[in-house]
Amino acid sequence: MGKASKPILFEQVAALVHRRAPGGGLQILMVTTRETGRWILPRGWTIKGLKPHEAAETEAFEEAGVIGKADRKPFTVYRYIKRFPKKTAAVVVAVYPMTVERELDDWPEKGQRDVAWVTPEEAVARAGDPGLIPVITQFVDASAAEEIDRPTA
Protein backbone atom coordinates (compact mmCIF):
# COMPACT_ATOMS: atom_id res chain seq x y z
CA MET A 1 0.00 0.00 0.00
CA GLY A 2 1.19 3.50 -0.74
CA LYS A 3 1.22 6.46 1.56
CA ALA A 4 -2.12 7.85 2.65
CA SER A 5 -2.71 11.06 0.77
CA LYS A 6 -3.32 14.17 2.79
CA PRO A 7 -6.85 15.53 2.25
CA ILE A 8 -6.94 18.68 0.20
CA LEU A 9 -8.51 21.58 2.07
CA PHE A 10 -9.36 24.86 0.37
CA GLU A 11 -10.45 28.17 1.88
CA GLN A 12 -13.06 30.56 0.53
CA VAL A 13 -14.89 33.67 1.72
CA ALA A 14 -18.60 34.42 1.56
CA ALA A 15 -20.68 37.56 2.07
CA LEU A 16 -23.86 37.18 4.09
CA VAL A 17 -25.48 40.23 2.52
CA HIS A 18 -28.50 41.47 4.45
CA ARG A 19 -30.90 44.39 4.68
CA ARG A 20 -34.13 45.41 6.34
CA ALA A 21 -37.23 45.23 4.14
CA PRO A 22 -39.58 48.24 4.10
CA GLY A 23 -41.72 46.52 6.77
CA GLY A 24 -38.65 45.99 8.95
CA GLY A 25 -38.13 42.27 8.34
CA LEU A 26 -34.68 40.86 7.69
CA GLN A 27 -33.81 39.88 4.12
CA ILE A 28 -30.82 37.86 2.93
CA LEU A 29 -29.32 37.98 -0.55
CA MET A 30 -28.76 34.67 -2.29
CA VAL A 31 -27.31 33.80 -5.68
CA THR A 32 -27.24 30.65 -7.76
CA THR A 33 -24.07 28.82 -8.69
CA ARG A 34 -23.17 29.07 -12.35
CA GLU A 35 -22.78 25.34 -12.93
CA THR A 36 -25.53 23.66 -10.92
CA GLY A 37 -27.98 26.47 -10.11
CA ARG A 38 -27.89 25.76 -6.36
CA TRP A 39 -28.72 28.71 -4.09
CA ILE A 40 -25.77 29.96 -2.03
CA LEU A 41 -24.34 33.12 -0.51
CA PRO A 42 -21.98 35.08 -2.78
CA ARG A 43 -18.65 33.34 -2.25
CA GLY A 44 -15.29 32.75 -3.83
CA TRP A 45 -11.59 32.27 -3.36
CA THR A 46 -9.48 34.69 -1.38
CA ILE A 47 -7.93 37.42 -3.51
CA LYS A 48 -4.24 38.27 -3.34
CA GLY A 49 -3.75 41.79 -2.00
CA LEU A 50 -7.18 41.95 -0.34
CA LYS A 51 -8.11 41.18 3.23
CA PRO A 52 -10.63 38.34 3.50
CA HIS A 53 -13.57 40.66 4.28
CA GLU A 54 -12.64 42.78 1.24
CA ALA A 55 -12.62 39.65 -0.92
CA ALA A 56 -16.12 38.85 0.38
CA GLU A 57 -17.25 42.37 -0.62
CA THR A 58 -15.74 41.80 -4.07
CA GLU A 59 -17.62 38.51 -4.48
CA ALA A 60 -20.91 40.22 -3.53
CA PHE A 61 -20.25 42.89 -6.17
CA GLU A 62 -19.20 40.47 -8.91
CA GLU A 63 -21.92 37.86 -8.32
CA ALA A 64 -24.88 40.00 -7.21
CA GLY A 65 -24.17 43.64 -8.03
CA VAL A 66 -24.29 44.90 -4.46
CA ILE A 67 -21.96 47.32 -2.73
CA GLY A 68 -21.52 47.42 1.01
CA LYS A 69 -19.18 46.99 3.94
CA ALA A 70 -18.50 43.54 5.33
CA ASP A 71 -17.55 42.98 8.95
CA ARG A 72 -13.79 42.69 9.37
CA LYS A 73 -14.10 39.42 11.27
CA PRO A 74 -16.00 36.37 10.07
CA PHE A 75 -19.30 35.60 11.76
CA THR A 76 -18.72 31.86 11.42
CA VAL A 77 -17.36 29.22 9.05
CA TYR A 78 -18.94 26.28 7.28
CA ARG A 79 -17.70 23.45 5.09
CA TYR A 80 -18.87 22.03 1.80
CA ILE A 81 -17.55 19.56 -0.75
CA LYS A 82 -16.32 21.14 -3.99
CA ARG A 83 -16.48 18.97 -7.07
CA PHE A 84 -13.67 19.47 -9.54
CA PRO A 85 -13.52 17.66 -12.91
CA LYS A 86 -11.23 14.90 -11.57
CA LYS A 87 -11.62 15.10 -7.78
CA THR A 88 -13.55 16.47 -4.85
CA ALA A 89 -12.18 18.53 -1.98
CA ALA A 90 -13.34 19.97 1.32
CA VAL A 91 -13.70 23.73 1.36
CA VAL A 92 -13.90 25.85 4.51
CA VAL A 93 -15.83 29.08 3.96
CA ALA A 94 -15.41 32.09 6.27
CA VAL A 95 -18.69 34.04 6.31
CA TYR A 96 -18.63 37.84 6.61
CA PRO A 97 -21.90 39.67 7.33
CA MET A 98 -22.35 42.61 4.96
CA THR A 99 -24.95 45.35 5.06
CA VAL A 100 -25.91 46.42 1.56
CA GLU A 101 -25.43 50.11 0.75
CA ARG A 102 -26.17 50.13 -2.98
CA GLU A 103 -27.56 47.83 -5.63
CA LEU A 104 -26.24 48.21 -9.16
CA ASP A 105 -28.07 47.81 -12.46
CA ASP A 106 -25.09 46.06 -14.05
CA TRP A 107 -22.28 43.88 -12.65
CA PRO A 108 -19.70 41.38 -13.93
CA GLU A 109 -21.74 38.17 -13.54
CA LYS A 110 -25.20 39.57 -14.34
CA GLY A 111 -27.07 37.06 -16.47
CA GLN A 112 -24.84 34.19 -15.28
CA ARG A 113 -26.64 33.74 -11.95
CA ASP A 114 -30.05 34.34 -10.45
CA VAL A 115 -30.09 36.80 -7.55
CA ALA A 116 -32.84 37.04 -4.94
CA TRP A 117 -33.58 38.88 -1.71
CA VAL A 118 -35.39 36.38 0.50
CA THR A 119 -36.68 36.01 4.03
CA PRO A 120 -34.51 33.98 6.40
CA GLU A 121 -37.00 31.12 6.19
CA GLU A 122 -36.80 31.14 2.40
CA ALA A 123 -32.98 31.31 2.57
CA VAL A 124 -32.95 28.15 4.72
CA ALA A 125 -35.37 26.42 2.33
CA ARG A 126 -33.28 27.35 -0.73
CA ALA A 127 -29.82 26.65 0.73
CA GLY A 128 -27.94 24.49 -1.77
CA ASP A 129 -25.24 23.57 0.75
CA PRO A 130 -26.46 21.92 3.97
CA GLY A 131 -23.74 23.80 5.88
CA LEU A 132 -25.49 27.07 5.07
CA ILE A 133 -28.58 26.26 7.13
CA PRO A 134 -26.97 26.68 10.56
CA VAL A 135 -25.08 29.76 9.30
CA ILE A 136 -28.34 31.46 8.33
CA THR A 137 -30.21 30.45 11.48
CA GLN A 138 -27.33 31.55 13.75
CA PHE A 139 -27.16 34.89 11.96
CA VAL A 140 -30.92 35.42 12.28
CA ASP A 141 -30.78 34.55 15.99
CA ALA A 142 -27.84 36.93 16.53
CA SER A 143 -29.61 39.68 14.58
CA ALA A 144 -32.76 39.23 16.68
CA ALA A 145 -30.74 39.40 19.90
CA GLU A 146 -29.03 42.55 18.64
CA GLU A 147 -32.43 44.12 17.94
CA ILE A 148 -33.61 43.32 21.46
CA ASP A 149 -30.43 44.74 23.02
CA ARG A 150 -30.44 47.90 20.92
CA PRO A 151 -31.58 50.95 22.92
CA THR A 152 -34.61 52.80 21.57
CA ALA A 153 -34.52 56.53 20.94
Side-chain angles (χ1 to χ4, degrees):
M1 290 186 103
K3 291 183 184 177
S5 62
K6 193 173 185 181
I8 299 171
L9 186 69
F10 293 99
E11 295 179 1
Q12 288 188 324
V13 296
L16 198 163
V17 184
H18 58 93
R19 70 179 182 190
R20 289 285 167 191
L26 181 66
Q27 291 184 318
I28 295 171
L29 182 115
M30 297 189 80
V31 300
T32 55
T33 61
R34 288 188 286 197
E35 286 132 21
T36 63
R38 291 175 299 113
W39 287 96
I40 61 169
L41 301 176
R43 72 169 183 225
W45 306 106
T46 56
I47 301 169
K48 188 174 181 163
L50 294 182
K51 294 177 180 167
H53 73 279
E54 294 170 332
E57 292 169 358
T58 300
E59 292 301 328
F61 159 69
E62 290 177 351
E63 296 181 4
V66 293
I67 306 289
K69 291 287 181 201
D71 291 358
R72 291 180 176 273
K73 293 187 177 185
F75 171 73
T76 192
V77 298
Y78 75 97
R79 292 176 183 253
Y80 77 99
I81 301 299
K82 173 87 174 156
R83 287 164 183 69
F84 293 100
K86 294 185 179 183
K87 63 182 173 187
T88 61
V91 179
V92 175
V93 183
V95 180
Y96 295 85
M98 180 178 137
T99 304
V100 68
E101 295 172 357
R102 251 179 51 209
E103 294 182 62
L104 305 175
D105 293 329
D106 196 26
W107 59 92
E109 295 181 19
K110 183 177 182 178
Q112 297 176 32
R113 302 171 184 273
D114 291 329
V115 177
W117 284 103
V118 297
T119 65
E121 297 78 16
E122 182 66 20
V124 165
R126 289 187 185 203
D129 292 333
L132 272 180
I133 294 169
V135 169
I136 294 164
T137 56
Q138 289 170 16
F139 180 75
V140 170
D141 291 347
S143 295
E146 191 176 290
E147 284 290 314
I148 291 168
D149 292 341
R150 186 176 294 143
T152 56

